[in-house]
Amino acid sequence: MDKVYILWHTRVDAFGCDNDKCLGVFSSLENAEQAKQYALTQKGFKDYPDGFCVSEYTIDKQEWLEGFG
């Protein structure tokens, strides 16, 4: 296994700020999608069904190579 799949949920709160939740790290896209389907049945998540995102990452690979600011 050289890749993982991270399931995120984001919504904008009452103050206009992003509210991000990491729902889990999975060994396959299929497992991440199953977790998403379960979350869609849960309080809060089912009210914001468009907030889900699955990100693919390669293990031991640095993703952010530049500074910020």
Side-chain angles (χ1 to χ4, degrees), residues 3-7 24-29 32 54-57:
K3 295 191 183 293
V4 293
Y5 301 84
I6 301 177
L7 175 60
V25 180
F26 301 91
S27 61
S28 70
L29 181 58
V54 177
S55 301
E56 177 185 277
Y57 289 94

Side-chain angles (χ1 to χ4, degrees), residues 3 8-9 14 18 20 25 40-41 43 49 52 54 56 58:
K3 295 191 183 293
W8 293 94
H9 187 270
D18 285 349
D20 299 321
V25 180
L40 280 166
T41 69
K43 178 180 169 185
F52 291 95
V54 177
E56 177 185 277
T58 301

